[in-house]
Amino acid sequence: MDTESDFRRREPAGAPRDEGGFDARLVWNTWRRILRDDSLADAITRADHADAAAFADLSTAERAIAADYARTPRATATNLRMYRRSLVRIARIALGRVPLSQRLVFMSGLDVDAVAHDLARTHGYVDDGPNFWRLAGIFVTYLAQRPEFAAHTHQDVLALDRALIALARRVGEITAERWPNARTAAMRDAADVRSMRFVASPAAVVATSRHDLTSWIENPYGYDPAEALAASPRHWLIYFPDADSAPAYAELSERSARVFGQLAAPRTVADVAGALGTLSTAETREVIDRLADLGVVGQEYGRVWKSRHPRQPDALRDEQFVMLDPAVEVLDDEIAEHRFLCHGHFEVGMAVPPGEGLTDFIAELAREPVRVGALRDGFDNRHLVDTMLASLQEHGFVHVTAPLAPSSATLDQLRRAAAIRRGPGLSRTIELALDTASAGTIGALIAAEPTAPVLHLRCTCPGDHASTLAALADLRETGQLRVHHTVVQVAEPACDAQVIQSLRRLGAGVIVDVPWPAPPTPISGLDALTRACVPVHARMTLDRAFFDASTRARALAWAESVFLCGLNLILEADVLWPGPAPTSADFIGVFEAVRAMDDALGDVSVANLPTDEVLLGNASSPRPTTLSELTRRFRLAYLRWRIPLLKSFEGDNTFSQTPEAEEKLVRLREDLLPGHPELLNLTAGSVVVDVCGGNGRVARRLAPHVGTEGLVVSIEMLRCVTDRARRFGCELGYTNVQFRTGLAQRLPLPDGAADAAVNEWTGAIWQLGLGPAMVAEMVRVVRPGGRIAVTHRLVRLPLTQLDRPWVQFDDIYAWMQNAFARPDLAIVVERVWGQTTSTLAGERATAWRKHYVPRLVNPFEVTYTEDQDPGPHADVCLTIIAERVR
């Protein structure tokens, strides 16, 4: 173990490094200067970068740094473009905080990106990270100075939004004793109000406009900025109902606005009446009473202001010290402008969104213990600091320490405490031998878990435990056994039909131990399991033959021939590299080889490395207690390699993240197939395959139509999405839906195993040219006489602007028709149908975006504004249903 002095000498992960003799801070400041100075940037990124004029104002050290950048002009130019583009994106996100002003920009005819770029350039490419309210203030002030928005009504909007931004920044630092949503009791029943002092909530402000903006405020995403408004002075109360709500607006009379202004400091009714001079005491009391009913004025009690941070036992106090765990490092990779932290001890990753403020924040925590109060003072939004610290604490990245760096023994204690804090939110794996565990014992263990666990059962032959498996299946079907996933690992899978039925009712997958790269003889009982739609994986312990591509191909060919769902590989670093120590490139070569197998088969993973659920902070890690140095390096290399890859799966498109959000994509009452199961000939006991099932919306909707004896098999390409779909299914109590990882072009099911197969909304399948292969696989897995159905949207129509349709693929009808033109298919239905969906405008972005890797702070905690029309849309869809004729 490290000694305390060793710990202090070690350079912390993520700290600035002295590269080639350059001071890290000077390097950063020089980069910022290049970013702001177009002539300097141009000189550095040209092939003949020697430009005396551009370099004249630089110091000797700055010239050396600039020359270093100039040695790679193409890479430097790319970095400049990417950085500037990210600042434009951040500026647009900030503008989304103020939909009234954003609407002005959208409807002005200006190029919004060009406006955001000009803002970034004008302000020297300032990067505030996720301090969006501050940046929103800069943006609105900038807009107010542009001639395009000189109209009085536009200036009113911008002034209103400036008041909102100032309020939001104030609420970010301090908050009221009571939020306006907690209606304050009126004084009508009070015995004596003469001595009471009243005060305005700091979560509210009054702003004045010269025009009646009512229609624009009521429809901030759809008003017409060219509309003529009445020139009528108005007073607007802007307030935050609570810490997590969007701002609300209310119109006040002039006298109510004046009374509210007087209550910036605590005053009695008589004090306010005397200061105004135009209202009697009774009238003033009446106004205060109405403001109190609205919740924006309350009786003074205790402190008028208090810290936003709640006084809870685990809340961080200003005088405490925090420090990043030394096992945390900042990776060099960058995906979608995000950097990554990886925790080598807990084997979990985090994404750091764009923003120099965030990287500086991490670097500050990595150097040495830092006082919490100093961190809070460094940001204008103290709540943001607490959010980041809470996020880091949640995953065990930050510890509360003494002012001095902890010793190794203290660090171990801090990690144990962090593990206890993390535990309740993580799904744990319960491993048991069926030879020694009864159904009652297993049920009690699972009931004691705060989060639905993974149940991993081991036995030689499942047929030896028929009664236990049947009892567990009964518990699951009655809702008494809630598990994220169940697997039964066996040496001999042969069992009778009753045991197979119990495995299916239990929702269990089977893992069979087989030799690498394939068993020498057929495995008894394997075919019966796969034909009954029990998912089967093969677990193989690899040797150095893994490095041979033909051997890997043999393993894949065998797995595909017996319709396995996938392979669980045991990779022991000490076995793969018994000689000289491998390099990081050697490790990555192995990981990439496994990924290539995964791409070919659909589900190939390394069983003795952290799962994606562990890396994403959703499950606890069964990390071995003792590791060789080579194995430790191997696991850490996997963490560094896999976390950025998981981030790359996210993309930047809207994608439903909860069952509730999914309902808005396609309303259940308007969804064709769940509303008309007869189109698929579904009855109780049917088996349906949902291809490209995503989070399981289609599977869950079809499940009631096949009954408890039936089965819906949802197949999705990404394991992290499959895990999320399983979680949703478990939380909602579905027991006849099975979630598998697999490929649309290689479905992990035997021929004729299903009664029907469906696919909805998978645009990428057609875009990549995989549509015909998917349809062919759907036909293969459906029995003769069974049906397949493919649905895709033809056009989206904004109902308020029918002349502006949105078409994803012009050729989708032809693509689908060509894929169905097969001799073994007969088209029975071509149904064009429609359904209405609410606009995303006004919705919180976090419910819709693809995000798997936990983030330091959520930069997309904004409201969608992409839909410029306020009304709903109509989706015109095409569903083709065909029957397999032979």
Side-chain angles (χ1 to χ4, degrees):
M1 286 190 172
D2 300 325
T3 63
E4 183 174 354
S5 58
D6 287 335
F7 181 92
R8 292 175 182 171
R9 282 199 302 270
R10 185 190 307 143
E11 184 179 21
R17 297 179 182 274
D18 192 349
E19 301 286 354
F22 296 147
D23 174 77
R25 177 54 60 180
L26 183 61
V27 170
W28 174 246
N29 289 336
T30 304
W31 165 254
R32 298 287 303 174
R33 185 166 179 175
I34 296 168
L35 190 71
R36 292 191 296 267
D37 191 331
D38 287 338
S39 62
L40 183 57
D42 182 62
I44 286 173
T45 55
R46 290 201 318 266
D48 55 340
H49 60 266
D51 190 324
F55 284 63
D57 293 335
L58 302 181
S59 68
T60 302
E62 288 172 332
R63 289 183 187 181
I65 294 169
D68 192 58
Y69 281 122
R71 291 190 187 98
T72 54
R74 180 177 296 180
T76 300
T78 298
N79 287 337
L80 283 168
R81 285 195 301 271
M82 288 178 59
Y83 203 100
R84 289 176 174 178
R85 191 163 59 246
S86 73
L87 295 179
V88 170
R89 181 185 179 201
I90 291 170
R92 288 200 58 174
I93 292 173
L95 185 63
R97 291 287 172 108
V98 282
L100 284 168
S101 294
Q102 182 173 248
R103 179 69 177 173
L104 287 180
V105 181
F106 279 172
M107 299 301 291
S108 66
L110 297 171
D111 183 314
V112 182
D113 280 336
V115 172
H117 187 273
D118 187 63
L119 167 76
R121 181 188 55 78
T122 301
H123 287 271
Y125 297 103
V126 173
D127 182 356
D128 284 330
N131 289 325
F132 293 127
W133 283 114
R134 179 163 58 189
L135 183 54
I138 295 173
F139 209 145
V140 170
T141 300
Y142 161 80
L143 293 176
Q145 298 167 356
R146 291 192 60 131
E148 296 88 351
F149 307 109
H152 292 319
T153 52
H154 297 175
Q155 289 293 313
D156 275 355
V157 162
L158 297 170
L160 212 62
D161 277 346
R162 280 198 297 272
L164 165 62
I165 291 165
L167 173 64
R169 294 187 66 185
R170 182 173 77 192
V171 170
E173 298 175 359
I174 50 180
T175 187
E177 294 278 356
R178 283 188 292 257
W179 287 93
N181 69 355
R183 303 282 176 164
T184 305
M187 294 85 69
R188 296 185 183 93
D189 298 329
D192 184 5
V193 299
R194 288 177 297 177
S195 60
M196 291 182 183
R197 294 181 4 132
F198 301 93
V199 66
S201 168
V205 70
V206 171
T208 300
S209 68
R210 291 166 291 182
H211 299 79
D212 182 5
L213 299 177
T214 301
S215 61
W216 292 10
I217 291 173
E218 289 178 346
N219 188 15
Y221 299 103
Y223 70 87
D224 183 358
E227 177 187 355
L229 299 178
S232 173
R234 299 296 171 116
H235 304 284
W236 306 100
L237 177 72
I238 310 172
Y239 63 95
F240 286 91
D242 54 56
D244 300 314
S245 295
Y249 296 81
E251 186 178 349
L252 296 183
S253 65
E254 181 179 359
R255 71 176 190 171
S256 293
R258 293 174 63 201
V259 168
F260 185 88
Q262 287 293 316
L263 294 176
R267 292 174 181 256
T268 64
V269 173
D271 289 339
V272 175
L276 293 176
T278 56
L279 294 179
S280 66
T281 300
E283 291 172 325
T284 302
R285 174 177 169 175
E286 181 184 358
V287 171
I288 292 177
D289 205 45
R290 285 200 297 268
L291 292 171
D293 284 342
L294 190 59
V296 296
V297 163
Q299 180 185 350
E300 180 193 22
Y301 65 99
R303 296 184 309 279
V304 177
W305 306 87
K306 72 173 183 179
S307 168
R308 163 179 284 279
H309 318 298
R311 291 195 172 184
Q312 299 173 352
D314 57 349
L316 293 174
R317 301 185 300 276
D318 279 352
E319 64 271 17
Q320 289 180 300
F321 284 78
V322 291
M323 183 179 182
L324 208 66
D325 190 297
V328 175
E329 61 177 305
V330 182
L331 303 185
D332 294 331
D333 304 75
E334 184 172 304
I335 303 291
E337 303 174 59
H338 287 66
R339 296 288 298 278
F340 303 95
L341 305 177
C342 71
H343 198 314
H345 180 79
F346 287 121
E347 298 183 316
V348 65
M350 292 190 76
V352 181
E356 69 178 70
L358 297 186
T359 53
D360 286 348
F361 182 80
I362 295 297
E364 183 73 16
L365 288 171
R367 294 189 185 99
E368 59 185 0
V370 58
R371 193 172 64 84
V372 173
L375 284 173
R376 288 169 175 158
D377 291 342
F379 277 69
D380 71 329
N381 188 338
R382 291 166 61 94
H383 176 56
L384 181 67
V385 175
D386 281 6
T387 300
M388 293 188 291
L389 287 176
S391 181
L392 290 167
Q393 277 192 296
E394 177 186 352
H395 296 285
F397 282 66
V398 157
H399 306 298
V400 178
T401 73
L404 297 178
S407 66
S408 296
T410 301
L411 182 61
D412 288 340
Q413 294 176 352
L414 292 171
R415 286 172 174 168
R416 285 194 293 270
I420 293 172
R421 288 198 307 272
R422 296 177 77 234
L426 303 181
S427 176
R428 197 166 69 92
T429 297
I430 298 177
E431 296 199 29
L432 295 168
L434 276 174
D435 292 333
T436 58
S438 67
T441 301
I442 295 171
L445 288 172
I446 290 172
E449 290 292 314
T451 304
V454 172
L455 179 60
H456 191 140
L457 303 174
R458 299 177 185 272
C459 66
T460 301
C461 178
D464 297 337
H465 306 281
S467 60
T468 301
L469 293 173
L472 290 174
D474 290 341
L475 289 175
R476 180 174 184 260
E477 289 188 338
T478 56
Q480 301 176 65
L481 190 76
R482 291 291 182 94
V483 292
H484 178 70
H485 189 38
T486 299
V487 293
V488 182
Q489 185 175 348
V490 303
E492 302 170 6
C495 53
D496 61 26
Q498 181 181 355
V499 173
I500 291 176
Q501 184 63 16
S502 294
L503 290 170
R504 212 170 93 164
R505 291 195 299 124
L506 184 54
V510 171
I511 297 176
V512 183
D513 293 309
V514 301
W516 166 264
T521 59
I523 298 176
S524 176
L526 186 59
D527 182 66
L529 288 170
T530 57
R531 290 202 171 278
C533 294
V534 175
V536 180
H537 286 72
R539 178 164 298 200
M540 301 173 166
T541 300
L542 306 187
D543 53 28
R544 286 185 55 79
F546 175 78
F547 292 111
D548 178 55
S550 62
T551 304
R552 298 197 298 270
R554 182 182 166 197
L556 292 174
W558 170 76
E560 186 170 355
S561 70
V562 294
F563 305 109
L564 290 186
C565 280
L567 301 176
N568 296 154
L569 306 180
I570 306 293
L571 284 174
E572 298 289 358
D574 298 293
V575 173
L576 294 179
W577 294 282
T583 65
S584 296
D586 294 328
F587 293 151
I588 292 175
V590 168
F591 304 148
E592 292 290 356
V594 173
R595 186 185 178 193
M597 296 177 70
D598 189 36
D599 290 341
L601 187 64
D603 189 7
V604 178
S605 61
V606 182
N608 59 324
L609 286 177
T611 67
D612 287 351
E613 285 288 87
V614 170
L615 300 181
L616 297 176
N618 299 323
S620 60
S621 173
R623 177 188 173 99
T625 54
T626 58
L627 296 171
S628 69
E629 177 59 22
L630 179 57
T631 301
R632 186 194 65 79
R633 287 181 54 217
F634 188 58
R635 293 176 73 93
L636 186 57
Y638 181 74
L639 178 61
R640 294 166 176 160
W641 173 82
R642 187 70 180 174
I643 287 294
L645 185 63
L646 290 172
K647 179 66 180 178
S648 71
F649 295 157
E650 294 180 352
D652 195 36
N653 59 306
T654 57
F655 188 89
S656 55
Q657 294 295 284
T658 66
E660 294 77 16
E662 281 191 307
E663 293 305 311
K664 287 198 173 184
L665 290 177
V666 182
R667 297 169 188 257
L668 174 59
R669 64 179 178 271
E670 297 172 339
D671 199 357
L672 178 66
L673 295 177
H676 299 277
E678 70 279 359
L679 293 175
L680 294 172
N681 288 337
L682 296 186
T683 59
S686 294
V687 174
V688 184
V689 181
D690 175 23
V691 183
C692 304
N695 287 328
R697 170 179 54 84
V698 175
R700 293 193 301 270
R701 289 182 174 182
L702 292 176
H705 300 294
V706 300
T708 57
E709 296 300 316
L711 180 66
V712 182
V713 180
S714 179
I715 298 172
E716 167 59 39
M717 180 177 67
L718 298 177
R719 270 189 293 276
C720 51
V721 180
T722 303
D723 280 317
R724 181 166 287 177
R726 283 198 188 108
R727 191 174 306 117
F728 292 162
C730 176
E731 291 170 355
L732 297 173
Y734 284 86
T735 60
N736 62 344
V737 181
Q738 185 186 102
F739 299 98
R740 303 188 185 189
T741 302
L743 304 175
Q745 65 273 26
R746 198 212 76 83
L747 298 177
L749 287 163
D751 298 355
D755 300 293
V758 300
N759 166 263
E760 284 198 8
W761 314 109
T762 316
I765 288 289
W766 300 101
Q767 190 175 18
L768 296 173
L770 297 176
M774 176 189 71
V775 171
E777 277 292 272
M778 294 170 73
V779 174
R780 180 185 65 79
V781 302
V782 167
R783 61 171 175 77
R787 292 190 171 184
I788 74 168
V790 176
T791 296
H792 206 283
R793 179 172 52 205
L794 298 177
V795 64
R796 164 163 283 190
L797 297 172
L799 294 184
T800 56
Q801 297 174 330
L802 294 178
D803 59 332
R804 295 179 58 188
W806 179 84
V807 180
Q808 184 179 15
F809 300 120
D810 291 327
D811 302 320
I812 188 64
Y813 180 69
W815 292 346
M816 292 170 65
Q817 278 279 334
N818 291 338
F820 274 78
R822 298 169 51 94
D824 51 359
L825 274 186
I827 295 178
V828 294
V829 174
E830 276 193 12
R831 180 72 63 85
V832 175
W833 54 284
Q835 59 94 35
T836 57
T837 59
S838 300
T839 176
L840 282 183
E843 295 284 349
R844 302 299 289 177
T846 48
W848 298 87
R849 287 185 175 269
K850 283 185 181 178
H851 283 301
Y852 310 124
V853 182
R855 285 158 295 165
L856 173 65
V857 66
N858 183 8
F860 296 109
E861 190 64 49
V862 293
T863 301
Y864 270 116
T865 54
E866 284 87 343
D867 296 332
Q868 295 187 23
D869 57 295
H873 300 84
D875 283 341
V876 180
C877 309
L878 168 67
T879 297
I880 299 180
I881 302 175
E883 189 169 291
R884 180 180 173 183
V885 295
R886 64 174 185 270

